[in-house]
Amino acid sequence: MGVKVVLITGASRGIGAATARLAAVEGWRVAVNYRLDQTGAEAVVAELRQAGADAEAFCADVSLEADIVGLFNAVAAHFGRLDALVNNAGVTAPIGRLEDYSAQRVEQVLRSNVLGPVLCCREAVRRMSTRHGGVGGAIVNVSSAASRLGSAGEYVDYAASKGAIDTLTLGLAGEVAAEGIRVNAVRPGLIHTGIHAASGEPGRVERLAGSVPMGRGGAVEEVAAAIVWLLSDASSFCTGSLLDVSGGR
Ligand code: NAP
């Protein structure tokens, strides 16, 4: 038994990078996926190696099927095995009301946040399921509290994409439970990352902190802790779970 390998999509910064750091500390070998931010991804990999972990960066746009297939093949070629997947890569969209959305905007959100994770799950199941000669594994999908709040006036399409992630998690968990694969999701609330600036409001977490029962936004490390726990054998009887990491929001 070698050291287990986890592929984390969108790990060049934010929640994905924090998950990569913690997974390395917990003894995983880490495949760091990114789309554009090569500098960020390589900095994460350098940090993991500095800490003594085996890590490699892989460029792939998870909104594209050919990139996803290439990503899983490259990870297999480099590490020789795959034990876990974190479907973390995701995008919001400019804050606005639904009546102003273009089809192109909605399509990009759904491709990145739904099509990508579904196809990444497909590639992971093909490699990890005992049905296909694998030894099992764990999948953690990064959903959002938006899936149950709806994000009215902000990005309803994004919220709907995360609703799809919750349902994907429930369905796939049942489908592969007897094949050695656990599938769970975390639903972060307001977390301090660059995703809010990308949708046009860098101060969004501060503006909405009063709506959080704990009165603050969350840190990426607090989400990473939940993800890495769901990857680990410590959560061996959890599958189909949706774990809110939202300060009570
Ligand atoms: P972030 O700081 O913007 O990081 C997003 C990461 O995803 C980056 O590494 C980015 O890499 C990558 N990415 C985006 N589209 C990609 C694609 N098509 N292919 C490959 N990589 C892609 O965001 P974050 O806040 O850490 O968000 C991570 C996840 O948490 C997302 O699924 C998000 O919906 C979810 N979430 C976040 C919050 C929050 O408050 N921050 C709350 C709930 C849920 P490149 O720059 O290289 O493209």
Side-chain angles (χ1 to χ4, degrees):
M1 271 300 271
V3 178
K4 288 185 175 183
V5 174
V6 59
L7 166 60
I8 305 171
T9 65
S12 57
R13 58 174 185 273
I15 292 167
T19 303
R21 288 187 194 99
L22 185 59
V25 168
E26 297 291 320
W28 291 84
R29 287 191 281 167
V30 185
V32 172
N33 160 251
Y34 67 99
R35 176 185 47 170
L36 301 170
D37 188 3
Q38 183 177 2
T39 308
E42 284 176 355
V44 171
V45 166
E47 204 182 316
L48 303 194
R49 288 181 182 159
Q50 191 92 31
D54 190 1
E56 186 71 28
F58 298 88
C59 181
D61 180 342
V62 300
S63 70
L64 303 174
E65 181 179 23
D67 274 32
I68 292 169
V69 172
L71 170 65
F72 279 79
N73 286 338
V75 170
H78 182 83
F79 288 108
R81 60 186 288 169
L82 182 70
D83 302 280
L85 165 69
V86 181
N87 269 316
N88 167 76
V91 293
T92 51
I95 288 173
R97 290 171 55 94
L98 182 145
E99 66 242 42
D100 299 322
Y101 296 174
S102 67
Q104 188 192 18
R105 161 203 166 115
V106 178
E107 189 177 358
Q108 185 52 40
V109 169
L110 296 180
R111 287 189 76 87
S112 300
N113 296 6
V114 183
L115 180 68
V118 170
L119 295 182
C120 285
C121 284
R122 181 189 74 188
E123 295 304 310
V125 168
R126 286 177 177 174
R127 287 164 176 81
M128 301 192 309
S129 168
T130 54
R131 193 163 179 260
H132 296 284
V135 295
I139 296 173
V140 177
N141 295 321
V142 181
S143 174
S144 171
S147 74
R148 52 184 169 72
L149 296 172
S151 304
E154 293 193 311
Y155 23 62
V156 170
D157 49 355
Y158 168 81
S161 76
K162 295 303 188 178
I165 290 300
D166 289 358
T167 308
L168 164 69
T169 302
L170 299 177
L172 184 60
E175 200 165 293
V176 297
E179 299 166 23
I181 305 176
R182 296 182 301 106
V183 186
N184 294 287
V186 296
R187 294 194 296 203
L190 295 161
I191 310 299
H192 292 282
T193 74
I195 205 169
H196 309 287
S199 61
E201 191 185 0
R204 181 169 175 268
V205 174
E206 289 72 18
R207 174 173 64 84
L208 293 170
S211 68
V212 181
M214 288 179 71
R216 65 173 177 86
V220 289
E221 291 80 8
E222 294 177 294
V223 183
I227 294 171
V228 173
W229 179 73
L230 285 169
L231 290 177
S232 77
D233 291 341
S235 62
S236 54
F237 201 48
C238 294
T239 199
S241 300
L242 309 175
L243 177 53
D244 287 295
V245 185
S246 60
R249 186 169 192 254

